[in-house]
Amino acid sequence: MPDLESVLAGLRRRPDAEAANLFAVDAADRLILDAVSEAVPDLDKRTIAVIGDRYGALTLGLAARHGVTGVRVHQDSYTGEIALSRNAVDAELSGVFEHHGLDETLLDGVNVVLMQLPRSLAELTDIAETIAQFADPDVQVFAGGRDKHMTPAMNSVLRASFESVSAGRGRQKARVLTAATPIRPQSPTYPVTAGLGDIGLTVVAYGAVFAGAKLDIGTRYLVGFEKKMKPDAGQIVDLGCGTGILACLLARARPDATVHATDRSAAAVASARATAAANGLDVDVSRDDAMSTYPQSSVDLIVCNPPFHEGASLHTGSAEKLFEAARRVLKPGGEMWTVYNSHLNYRRALADAVGPTTVAGKNTKFTVTRSVV
């Protein structure tokens, strides 16, 4: 069994962006591992779930430090799942965990949960309620994060699902919240459903999905250009689909086209499927890493509202990866329509990665571009 420090030192982020300011392990990971080790002396005899492990520090750290196996892991990000699996191979720890959705299979009988606190209170609410609903009544939850991303509201969210919540001593600008004695939810908060009357859609959203059940303003601006997008497109992709609003609008406006929606987030994929079903629309929804499963030159039109951060770090690596994928997947003459915060100036990156790019529209905050292969 490899030692803890060699495992943590060897962690990588791939297939997510790797850069000098992006890390696969941080002080919160280390503090969570120390906190659970001090509080639970017989970890190798416990049933353990890990939630939100970004690249494997918690899962593989537990295995290296305590020799535990059978760890159940939920990562919303598909690229996080890939990174954990690759890091496990590198550390010779492939057999110590199994992937699960955020559901009963993850938490049934679990009495110890380790988790990285999400920045979104909605996502934290969804996670906390799911733990409280399905985990063992004696479950102990160790939830850590960096001080700069933690707020008092997180304590309140946890207290809604657990009778006991306490904050541990901080270290290296990180802290761990410990929760116990779950309060079984009468009716889960998520998914939420909202009717967007101005666009005539019903939207369904799980806690971790971007923008919730609302139409974010960037997507709203891009929607206004639908009639100008490649009119004869037969294969259309909503890339980074979130709740699937763009995919559903395109499926409704173009019933003869095949519309796909794809995202690396499990919550986004579940939300997009539910949104399409709620509106009676036929949309092919998949969880994927930048269309990695799509054949080359197979798509006529891609619409995208790309991210501008990697986790908590401002970084454009994810967006650039999507642009490069679009060039591979689009047919000759295919179009990519992108909306982005104007200060990011993605036009050059799109031109380099996809093809000639023109500005189709610009307002006080957003730019919409059309790129042609």
Side-chain angles (χ1 to χ4, degrees), residues 79-91:
T79 54
E81 285 189 8
I82 295 171
L84 169 57
S85 295
R86 291 179 178 177
N87 285 328
V89 170
D90 292 345

Side-chain angles (χ1 to χ4, degrees), residues 26-29 31-32 54 116-119 143-155 167-177 312:
D26 66 10
D29 291 311
L31 188 55
I32 294 167
R54 291 162 303 180
Q116 273 274 358
L117 284 164
R119 296 181 70 180
R146 301 301 301 274
D147 288 343
K148 63 183 178 180
H149 301 139
M150 295 176 68
T151 66
M154 290 179 172
N155 298 62
R169 185 173 299 174
R171 188 181 76 196
Q172 294 181 308
K173 300 181 180 179
R175 191 173 302 274
V176 172
L177 304 178

Side-chain angles (χ1 to χ4, degrees), residues 335-357:
E335 298 179 2
M336 181 175 190
W337 285 73
T338 310
V339 61
Y340 55 86
N341 289 73
S342 295
H343 72 273
L344 293 171
N345 196 22
Y346 278 148
R347 183 179 177 183
R348 174 59 63 86
L350 283 160
D352 291 344
V354 183
T357 299

